[in-house]
């Protein structure tokens, strides 16, 4: 597609439940990035992929968070046993190559609310 | 200390005013500087980028980088109500697929 598609737009989970978010990058883009935006500010890098390979996971919480980008499937970000502090908007972005001057295209985000 | 500091605002100015948005950073490895604009309930979109110290102009927007002071600015001339959004500064080190580090964003409102 011509835009980064994130689903669902909104996700509500009770504390302790699992949450799974999906991202379809723009067709042909090799790099995918996940960011967490808390309180409408504070963009925090989580993880990036080069095709199906993890490129940089320095921002991923060690426990409970995992992510995958498998061939011919949307990328996914999964949070096991959600906590109140996981409430945020999760943005996915993709780029054609990994070049520093490459523009990142962002999706509209998934609003996760943990109650 | 955060790698990138940005005043969250909110900033409210009348239509037609010149707007100045600023960020400071601490990591001297940052080589690529960007400004993103984010409208409510949308992902950020790239507005301007620059590699080097100095000014870069695009229409009503001017991006300024001072690497010696680790300070970047975005100026908006003849501001319009449609410029009302959150503006995020962002930066990357110069390497393949490096993560973008964002500032916390400044919420800007242009009053008609």
């Amino acid at each position: 597609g011509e835009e980064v598609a994130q689903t669902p737009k909104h996700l509500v989970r009770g504390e302790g439940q699992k949450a799974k978010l999906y991202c379809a990058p723009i067709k042909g883009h090799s790099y995918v990035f996940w960011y967490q935006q808390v309180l409408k500010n504070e963009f925090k890098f989580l993880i990036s992929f080069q095709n199906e390979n993890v490129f940089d996971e320095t921002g991923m919480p060690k426990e409970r968070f995992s992510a995958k980008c498998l061939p011919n499937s949307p990328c996914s970000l999964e949070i096991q046993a959600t906590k109140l502090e996981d409430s945020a908007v999760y943005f996915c972005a993709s780029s054609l190559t990994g070049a520093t001057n490459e523009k990142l295209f962002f999706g509209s985000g998934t609003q996760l609310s943990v109650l | 200390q955060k790698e990138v500091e940005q005043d969250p605002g909110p900033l409210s100015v009348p239509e037609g005013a010149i707007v100045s948005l600023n960020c400071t950073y601490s990591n001297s490895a940052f080589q690529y500087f960007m400004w993103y604009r984010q409208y409510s309930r949308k992902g950020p979109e790239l507005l301007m980028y620059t590699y080097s110290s100095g000014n870069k102009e695009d229409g009503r927007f001017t991006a300024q980088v001072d690497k010696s002071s680790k300070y970047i600015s975005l100026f908006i001339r003849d501001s319009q109500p449609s410029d009302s959004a959150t503006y995020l500064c962002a930066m990357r080190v110069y390497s393949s697929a490096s993560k973008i580090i964002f500032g916390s964003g400044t919420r800007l409102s242009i009053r008609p």
Side-chain angles (χ1 to χ4, degrees):
Chain A
E2 292 298 315
E3 60 179 29
V4 176
Q6 289 190 249
T7 55
K9 287 193 185 307
H10 302 278
L11 189 57
V12 180
R13 288 289 178 265
E15 211 173 358
Q17 292 185 316
K18 184 174 78 175
K20 196 163 185 178
L21 292 60
Y22 297 92
C23 167
I26 292 173
K27 194 175 178 182
H29 281 196
S30 300
Y31 285 83
V32 170
F33 301 79
W34 282 98
Y35 281 85
Q36 179 195 56
Q37 188 181 31
V38 177
L39 299 173
K40 295 186 179 179
N41 300 115
E42 300 295 341
F43 261 88
K44 181 192 170 195
F45 169 79
L46 294 175
I47 190 169
S48 61
F49 287 85
Q50 180 185 14
N51 296 311
E52 61 266 30
N53 303 306
V54 174
F55 189 86
D56 181 351
E57 58 182 347
T58 53
M60 282 288 267
K62 299 257 186 277
E63 299 171 353
R64 303 187 300 110
F65 281 63
S66 62
K68 290 179 189 176
C69 276
L70 299 175
N72 303 314
S73 297
C75 295
S76 63
L77 177 69
E78 191 168 312
I79 308 172
Q80 303 287 339
T82 52
K83 296 183 177 181
L84 296 175
E85 70 218 40
D86 298 332
S87 295
V89 181
Y90 290 82
F91 285 99
C92 173
S94 71
S95 67
L96 187 62
T97 71
T100 306
N101 61 347
E102 184 81 37
K103 182 177 176 179
L104 261 64
F105 292 84
F106 282 82
S108 294
T110 292
Q111 169 84 59
L112 173 64
S113 299
V114 181
L115 308 177
Chain B
Q1 183 192 6
K2 291 180 189 176
E3 285 188 280
V4 181
E5 297 276 2
Q6 182 176 9
D7 185 339
L11 182 61
S12 179
V13 301
E15 186 175 354
I18 295 176
V19 175
S20 171
L21 304 167
N22 312 292
C23 288
T24 58
Y25 62 95
S26 57
N27 187 351
S28 56
F30 287 138
Q31 297 290 323
Y32 188 66
F33 304 93
M34 297 155 279
W35 286 94
Y36 279 81
R37 179 174 59 195
Q38 186 181 21
Y39 291 114
S40 183
R41 296 199 182 98
K42 294 287 186 185
E45 56 176 336
L46 183 64
L47 199 58
M48 297 208 53
Y49 68 89
T50 182
Y51 276 111
S52 55
S53 282
N55 293 352
K56 181 176 181 179
E57 194 173 314
D58 183 2
R60 296 184 295 111
F61 299 90
T62 299
Q64 196 172 74
V65 174
D66 181 349
K67 286 187 179 178
S68 61
S69 303
K70 297 192 179 69
Y71 188 87
I72 71 170
S73 302
L74 178 71
F75 298 97
I76 307 174
R77 288 184 301 283
D78 187 24
S79 54
Q80 306 292 310
S82 58
D83 295 329
S84 298
T86 295
Y87 289 79
L88 300 122
C89 64
M91 17 205 111
R92 278 175 125 168
V93 299
Y94 194 83
S95 67
S96 177
S98 61
K99 59 192 175 190
I100 294 177
I101 307 297
F102 285 91
S104 54
T106 300
R107 213 167 347 146
L108 174 66
S109 175
I110 309 297
R111 305 188 302 270

